[in-house]
Amino acid sequence: MPAAPLLPSDRDDTASTLGPASSTSSFRSLSPLRPSRSARQQQQRRTRYISFAAALLSSLCAGSVTVFSLYGHIFQERLRYTQFQVNGVASAASIAMYIPVPLLGYLCDRVGPAPLSLLSAVFFGAGYSVAAGLYKRAAADEGSGGGGLAYAAMIAAFVAIGVGTCSMYLSAVATCAKNFGKGKHRGLALAVPIAAFGLSGMWQSQLGSRVFYERLADGGKGDVDVFRFFLFLAILLFMVGSVGTFGLKIVDEQDLIDEAVEELERSGFLDGSSLFTPGRAERGYGAIEQSDPFDEDDDAGIIDPLKDPEEVEEARLKKQWVLNAETRRFLMDPTMWCFAVGFFFMIGPGEGFINNLGTIIKTLYPPTLQYVGKPTSAATHVSIVGFTSTVVRLLTGSLTDLLAPSPQARHVQITSIAPVHGRRFSVSRVAFLLFFALVLSLGLVALASGFIQNHGERFWIVSGLVGAGYGAVFSLTPIIITVIWGVENFATNWGIVAMFPALGATMWGLIYSAVYQAGARRSAPAAGGSEEKDLFCYGSECYALTFWCMAISVWALEPVTGGLNSHTTNSSSIVSKRSVEKLYYPDELHFFRFFVKKFQRRAPLINRGYHLRLHVIDVLVRDFLMQPQKEGEWKQKVVVNLGCGSDVLPWQCLSRYPDLCKMVKFVDVDFPDLIERKRQTVEATPELKGMLGWPREPGELAPPLVFESNEYVQIGCDLRDLKTLREGLEMVVDLENCSFLFVAEVSITYMETDGADKVIEWASSQRDAEFVLLEQILPSGKDHPFATTMLNHFNKLNTPIKSVATYPTLDSQLQRFSSRGFNSVLGWTLWQAWADERFLSAADRRKLDEVEPFDEWEEFALFASHYCIIHASTEAGAAQIAAVQPPNASIPVEPMEMQYDECPGQKGQRRFGAAMQLPGNGDTLLVVNVMGLGTKARLQSCDVYNQGTDGGGRELTFGEGGPATRMCHSLTDLGGDNGILLAGGRGSPSSPLKDCWLFNKSTNLWSRTQDLPLPLYRHAVASLGDSGMALLVGGKGLGAAPSSSDCHLYQPQVGWASCEIVSEVKPAAVHGAVLACQGTENAGHFGGLFAGGLQGGLINDQILSWELVVSDLEKPTIKFTNLEEPAELKDGSSRQLLARFGATCFQHGEELVVLGGVIGDHLLDQQDEVLACSLSPGEFKITRRYIDRGSPKEGLPPRPLYVGVSTASLPDGRVVVVGGGATCFSMGTFWNKGVYTLSLRQGRKETGHDVQSDLQWVHEKTIEIIPGERSVAVHAKTEAKRGPPPRIELIARVKLETQEDFARILKEGRPVVLEGLGLGKCVSAWSLDYLVDKIGNDQKVVIHESSTQEMDFNAKNFRYVTTCFKDFAQRVEKGDRVYLRALSNKKPTEKPASLTDDFPALAPDFILPPQLSVVKDSLFSSVLRASGPVNMWLHYDVMANVYCQIGGSKRLVLFPPRDVEHLSFASGASSSSIDVFAALESAELAQTHPHEATLSPGEVLFLPPLWLHTAKPTSRSSVAVNVFFRDLDSGSYAAGRDVYGNRDLAAYERGRQDVARIANSFHKLPADAREFYLLRLADELQRKARG
């Protein structure tokens, strides 16, 4: 059988899951290429406007199909089409324009608008070219095109035109929607391209009739020359589509996706999603959760160094998942279906009219009519429709931007009516929609009534009304979709809704055709024509019935579409309250459930925040209800809820306090339309209406009353109209004999501040009134990170909170009420209310911890500090409280120099990790931020930052083994060579950890040390000088149990020892406290500070000094002493500032520095976030507070958020702050986006400062920690020999004669070396020079560049570099440690490598001999490999392969699959860090069974699947071709991407998921029981594995 070159195979075109970022690439080296922030913003603006221009051009040309009426009648006259056939062509285009929209929209959202624009160019060019040819041929044959294949081809051409129209228009509108859809001009930004689409029909119809016309015999203008017109459109639209391919881009799409993710998280839609939790099924060579062995994402990052490949892949996966989730939500929303049906019946008639405009005009002029003047033309009315449609589209876009209420249904965390109060006048977009639908129907009625018949000069009335209505409805519909359902999935959502008009147009087209044809048959004899053959109809009977039906359908469906307004009442605020109601009040009647369609469990932070909001209002309302009547004076109590939305306060009070609510009137006030919907809900819900006695009939009520019963009243009123509000109250109560409580929960803040103040002042004018206000404040200014996030959130939604500008603090809010007629005013921030016994007792707070695990205390404090609750009364007697007093002014404030080095992209974004400082090479420094919480999940990785003068840092890598993912752990440098201690931490708040690890700074290895006595997180640990010991105090343990007050001493040789407390003063049982050691060891004596911490949900104000005596390592003693403020500062402010939760404390010279965290009572001001203090016997003193001043060169940096940060003290005294951030309640997440270096004056070492301070910190890389203890093989390095080294078996060598010989080898499943096979010319020809000549000097390849001979995928001791092949070859000749594993040239992330496709000039040289035909038949990939002196790491491949050595020689060592348990493969990983070649001669691999072979040129190694192997070149260079093939049935392999052929089999991936579920089922058991049973199950699995 003759040999043949390796043929291309049917490869899997699916893309791979991308890997992590480049392990050694440095931002320092790339930073010159990275534009500044302002430059990036300018670039984004330019891109946005260029895209807008391209979208406008596309829209101006896309509507060519709308001029069908210009030549539709010509098809009828010249091609002799029947009316049904004409409508068939028009309907084909219409259907093709709408039916594919969901699919095309789906693609547009996921791959961008550019591919759709290219698709439109192809379809338009082909469609109009074919249509032109068909028309010319049929017209020449005198109307032979009316049937058979010619008609079918014309249908196909117009289907292509319809798809092209859809693609071009959708790509343009989607670009504008996503680039501008979140701004305040969203309506105009969408209306412009939509209007341009309407204009396209107008200008194209005019151009067709005025330029591309047929010249009559007398020289006059005839009808449009269809052939030339179609050719013109084919060329024009092909060019426009091509322009859009390059011009249409989405700017900041990731921000849209992130907002959607946050909303989905808040809504509970991410619960259980594997996308945002660690441990997904994908994995690859070695690293956890990697899907490809060569870290393909890094290749992309080298090609474009400004993009973080890891972020690109994460963003791609996140985008795909989120958009699919959004699509499911959209399809499950009943409101969408009502909206779509309404759109079907509104737009269908308009489409039907436009498509048949030409034939309708013909019916106006029967042959018997003696018409004076020139009859009107189709082109004229196409232009009228286009003009009116365009004007109205622009008008509605602009007016709705100005008049429509702000969006409420997407990502808005406010009550349903809140933003509306800020408008002087508002009209909803739905109201606009219904009005213009009515306008459209009037045009249809005018035509159906016969008013136009025989009066063509009046036809402009119909064209104008229909054009206006059609344009407005078509413009408003996508705008409404962006408002209600967001813009991130706009193209898909719009595509689903836009599909419905196609059905409507088809239906009305068929109805019109049927009526027309019936009229033609009736009118033919009267006109003297043939009843059988005459195709034309004249008179109103041709259309009247059709358009009467159209008008009626629009009228009938208006109420359905009008119901869309109810969608906005279900705001996220009510959904969150429903979540609180169900979880926190399980034993009460639930009322929010009647206003929320589906329960969605919110995150614990959201739940607790809303619970506190609801609870403080409930307490104040209850107190009002409990107030006794004054002696001799009875007044009716009235509770007025201002801007009530869907709030259920009346029913809650009636059910909780039935006795107190007797004779009490509850009044809900909101806008009339919102109150009407609330009334409908109450009327339709027996559980709500049944609690209300004797409700009056609606017909008995006069405005503004909407509902009235004995206990409950609804008033529909704009709060700015206080006269109407008063009139409404006077209808139901006697104002002079009432005691009022007005409640405004985050509602009047959205009004103009002057209007809100008038509401407050009006409320105080009632003789006996109280007012409860809950709204936002800015206690530390608008530049505080939480405040910035909050303000940006509402501004982005075009719903700014307005009162905070005038009343930013609690004190200003108190003054606001006291200056407007209220005699006593009390006020709290919610953080103060949380600690106030008036609102919550200690038992109440403990009970909340039993509802759901909670550890977001810093974020809760930030939220609660930015909201205030005001209780004002017109009654005198209660003293007005003062605002929080600032700290003692005698504490000096000193500037500190702050250097800020921004990190690119999302690098470094983690919080609640822990940092360690490591030495680098020479004068370099490294800071490593270890684990913590990332953007979506807890992390198993570390961020490495370097700073040095040589442009590179220490090559930091981790060996195999280390702690598992966690957060809120401690990391303590024990000094000298004692290592760095990692202790405890947590997974979820209910899963504390007790394992401890030591990091060796010399070997970069983690080793397990003695566990903590009990699982703990947020414990405080301090290093005891250079003694190698550490002290641990406090911490949070399992479940809702109180925090620990125990003290433990750690010593590496002894482990943990409990400290005996020998003083009467005992530390409180707290977690998250401040702990520091001051001074150095003094004969086994140590001392320091212990302060603050959280106890029972409150920050404890303890401030203690401690003295530790370590005379006996097993029985240390510790003594605590209370510390007081200096007498001259004894106002409590110093104690309050020092007693913190979540702060960092460290020694700095002779003082202690405390950084960040939160305190009780109020939010830390900027000048209080970092302070220094000193200790003396019995006393502490805050010596100074620090304020940022920036660096002399860079100016003031972005204000950091000192929450969740990790800090490291440098040798020169500076402090480096990395990571940190917070979830800002429901407003988004704030991240510190760079490295902050603080230079504190006191105690700072000056040596080296001038050099180091000018150096930039750069995020060098992110590296993984492989969880688990190191295997026996690794431990053996430090243990005594346990026997002889393993016996190495030489791999057998055979010569193949036939295909059957190889089939037998394949069945045996053992490796063999195949000799004597003819591999072709390559063996003799492939020198490096030959390869350069054939491949080309400039072809780009991605190579591994290693710093050592032993590459390690887990440790990432190499980096990926993109270079030209010639440079790579030269480096191999020089002996550089470089390695090439070729990737697909065209689609490296999607297609496997192919020698034929990637290196076509080399492919003929390489031949798979006929004996290996089974390899060729099942071929998966063929990979070119070339290298210098560098070893490939130990790994396994899932697919079988033949390794063909072409040039040089290579030594390979293989292990059978059963050895995997002895070779340090982490769970889910396919790579190991063991250096096999170094370990073969020792006992480290004693339990393994190595096989060895050395390959020479022309020899082939058969590698069975799952055999673990490593390779080492034995010559200066090596060249090989690695051919992978599938030896199992296709169902055995995992579905999805597998570019490298190393994705584990489907059964294993499913098994890992099963293991995770099994482990999770033991989650609630005690740790010992959980470990016991899991080990038993593991033993069962091991027994089954071994038969």
Side-chain angles (χ1 to χ4, degrees), residues 855-860 862 908-915 929-934 938-939 965-971 982 984-987 1017-1018 1072 1141-1144 1157-1158 1201-1207 1218-1223 1229-1232:
D855 189 39
E856 291 82 2
W857 290 106
E858 295 96 336
E859 295 161 322
F860 181 62
L862 291 173
Q909 290 187 2
R910 67 178 70 217
R911 57 190 196 267
F912 301 108
N929 196 8
V930 180
M931 293 187 286
L933 181 66
R938 292 180 291 275
L939 302 174
T965 179
R966 66 193 64 209
M967 59 187 289
C968 301
H969 51 286
S970 63
L971 200 60
L982 185 150
R986 69 170 177 86
Y1017 64 93
R1018 289 192 182 269
F1141 172 79
T1144 301
V1158 296
L1201 180 61
Y1202 292 119
V1203 167
V1205 297
S1206 303
T1207 61
V1218 294
T1223 298
T1229 302
F1230 177 88
W1231 292 97
N1232 292 328

Side-chain angles (χ1 to χ4, degrees), residues 1136-1155:
Q1136 191 179 63
L1137 284 179
L1138 191 56
R1140 303 190 180 195
F1141 172 79
T1144 301
C1145 186
F1146 48 87
Q1147 186 170 350
H1148 193 75
E1150 301 300 320
E1151 298 176 328
L1152 297 175
V1153 172
V1154 180
L1155 181 148

Side-chain angles (χ1 to χ4, degrees), residues 396-714:
T396 53
S398 304
L399 287 178
T400 54
D401 282 340
L402 294 173
L403 299 178
S406 300
Q408 302 154 28
R410 286 288 303 164
H411 318 316
V412 188
Q413 307 298 311
I414 51 181
T415 59
S416 61
I417 71 140
V420 185
H421 289 305
R423 303 285 186 183
R424 295 187 178 277
F425 177 75
S426 66
V427 179
S428 75
R429 291 180 172 89
V430 175
F432 274 97
L433 182 74
L434 298 179
F435 171 77
F436 280 103
L438 180 62
V439 169
L440 186 149
S441 69
L442 291 178
L444 301 175
V445 168
L447 181 59
S449 66
F451 174 70
I452 309 300
Q453 184 60 41
N454 299 337
H455 293 281
E457 72 279 3
R458 300 175 182 172
F459 199 77
W460 66 270
I461 298 174
V462 178
S463 302
L465 290 174
V466 173
Y470 174 84
V473 172
F474 221 103
S475 176
L476 287 166
T477 300
I479 297 173
I480 291 172
I481 288 174
T482 66
V483 171
I484 296 178
W485 291 285
V487 300
E488 61 276 356
N489 202 40
F490 166 78
T492 304
N493 295 345
W494 167 233
I496 292 170
V497 174
M499 177 177 63
F500 284 82
L503 303 176
T506 302
M507 182 185 77
W508 290 116
L510 293 173
I511 292 173
Y512 173 77
S513 298
V515 173
Y516 183 96
Q517 291 296 134
R521 285 192 293 270
R522 288 193 299 270
S523 63
S530 168
E531 184 173 354
E532 291 79 14
K533 296 184 177 181
D534 205 319
L535 302 173
F536 304 106
C537 177
Y538 303 98
S540 60
E541 63 180 341
C542 306
Y543 56 78
L545 179 61
T546 302
F547 288 100
W548 276 119
C549 293
M550 287 181 177
I552 293 170
S553 76
V554 174
W555 297 337
L557 267 295
E558 284 208 14
V560 174
T561 310
L564 182 68
N565 277 320
S566 63
H567 185 87
T568 60
T569 63
N570 242 1
S571 76
S572 291
S573 175
I574 301 301
V575 174
S576 298
K577 291 180 179 180
R578 166 61 180 147
S579 179
V580 171
E581 174 184 62
K582 184 171 183 178
L583 297 175
Y584 284 70
Y585 300 99
D587 300 326
E588 292 190 4
L589 294 176
H590 293 172
F591 301 105
F592 282 113
R593 65 191 177 104
F594 302 117
F595 296 90
V596 177
K597 296 176 183 177
K598 181 180 179 181
F599 170 76
Q600 297 174 12
R601 181 167 184 158
R602 297 303 206 192
L605 175 63
I606 307 296
N607 285 334
R608 186 156 296 202
Y610 270 102
H611 171 267
L612 182 57
R613 279 176 52 167
L614 290 169
H615 183 73
V616 295
I617 290 177
D618 176 71
V619 168
L620 294 175
V621 173
R622 181 199 64 195
D623 291 349
F624 171 76
L625 297 176
M626 292 177 65
Q627 290 175 11
Q629 296 284 352
K630 293 180 181 179
E631 187 174 350
E633 182 182 14
W634 184 89
K635 289 186 177 182
Q636 183 177 15
K637 292 180 180 179
V638 182
V639 179
V640 183
N641 196 348
L642 302 172
C644 62
S646 298
D647 198 64
V648 295
L649 178 65
W651 292 275
Q652 288 176 332
C653 290
L654 289 169
S655 64
R656 290 173 182 168
Y657 320 116
D659 294 336
L660 298 177
C661 291
K662 293 177 180 178
M663 306 304 292
V664 175
K665 186 83 73 175
F666 293 91
V667 181
D668 275 351
V669 181
D670 215 323
F671 276 84
D673 57 336
L674 298 177
I675 279 291
E676 173 58 26
R677 288 197 294 276
K678 189 170 187 178
R679 182 197 67 79
Q680 293 173 6
T681 302
V682 173
E683 293 278 8
T685 309
E687 292 87 343
L688 296 176
K689 190 175 181 180
M691 296 180 67
L692 309 176
W694 303 102
R696 294 173 62 186
E697 293 297 325
E700 301 175 10
L701 302 176
L705 294 187
V706 177
F707 182 93
E708 182 185 3
S709 70
N710 289 347
E711 304 89 350
Y712 177 62
V713 174
Q714 292 177 343

Side-chain angles (χ1 to χ4, degrees), residues 1271-1277 1279-1288 1455-1456 1458-1459 1461-1463 1474-1476 1478-1490:
S1271 67
V1272 174
V1274 177
H1275 281 300
K1277 293 181 181 179
E1279 296 177 358
K1281 302 285 186 180
R1282 294 173 297 163
R1287 184 176 67 85
I1288 302 175
F1455 298 87
R1458 69 177 183 274
D1459 284 354
E1461 63 178 321
H1462 305 299
L1463 292 170
I1474 291 181
D1475 182 357
V1476 171
L1480 279 175
E1481 303 302 322
S1482 70
E1484 293 181 43
L1485 304 181
Q1487 300 183 61
T1488 65
H1489 308 83

Side-chain angles (χ1 to χ4, degrees), residues 215 513 629 674 772 788 809 870 890 965 1104 1569:
R215 191 168 296 278
S513 298
Q629 296 284 352
L674 298 177
V772 171
T788 301
T809 64
I870 303 295
S890 62
T965 179
L1104 309 173

Side-chain angles (χ1 to χ4, degrees), residues 939-1131:
L939 302 174
Q940 184 63 49
S941 60
C942 307
D943 289 319
V944 181
Y945 304 85
N946 72 50
Q947 183 188 46
T949 58
D950 61 355
R954 169 187 180 188
E955 185 62 38
L956 178 65
T957 59
F958 290 151
E960 179 260 343
T965 179
R966 66 193 64 209
M967 59 187 289
C968 301
H969 51 286
S970 63
L971 200 60
T972 310
D973 194 327
L974 301 180
D977 297 327
N978 295 300
I980 299 173
L981 173 67
L982 185 150
R986 69 170 177 86
S988 70
S990 60
S991 302
L993 304 170
K994 65 178 181 179
D995 58 320
C996 298
W997 299 77
L998 276 176
F999 180 74
N1000 189 311
K1001 291 184 279 187
S1002 299
T1003 64
N1004 295 344
L1005 293 177
W1006 294 94
S1007 59
R1008 184 80 175 261
T1009 186
Q1010 187 186 47
D1011 289 351
L1012 290 168
L1014 70 163
L1016 289 173
Y1017 64 93
R1018 289 192 182 269
H1019 45 280
V1021 183
S1023 174
L1024 302 180
D1026 293 327
S1027 67
M1029 297 184 291
L1031 175 67
L1032 181 152
V1033 183
K1036 188 75 169 68
L1038 284 167
S1043 304
S1044 171
S1045 61
D1046 296 339
C1047 306
H1048 301 278
L1049 176 70
Y1050 177 80
Q1051 206 278 342
Q1053 283 73 41
V1054 177
W1056 293 98
S1058 178
C1059 299
E1060 180 186 359
I1061 302 175
V1062 295
S1063 58
E1064 293 185 2
V1065 177
K1066 305 286 196 261
V1070 297
H1071 61 285
V1074 171
L1075 177 70
C1077 178
Q1078 188 175 36
T1080 57
E1081 179 182 5
N1082 182 14
H1085 288 64
F1086 304 89
L1089 172 72
F1090 182 71
L1094 198 74
Q1095 183 181 36
L1098 300 180
I1099 295 178
N1100 193 295
D1101 66 352
Q1102 65 178 351
I1103 298 180
L1104 309 173
S1105 65
W1106 54 268
E1107 183 180 353
L1108 176 69
V1109 179
V1110 190
S1111 56
D1112 184 342
L1113 286 176
E1114 296 184 357
K1115 296 181 179 179
T1117 62
I1118 190 168
K1119 175 183 177 181
F1120 290 91
T1121 305
N1122 282 315
L1123 298 181
E1124 301 295 337
E1125 298 171 276
E1128 67 274 14
L1129 299 176
K1130 207 162 187 178
D1131 62 354

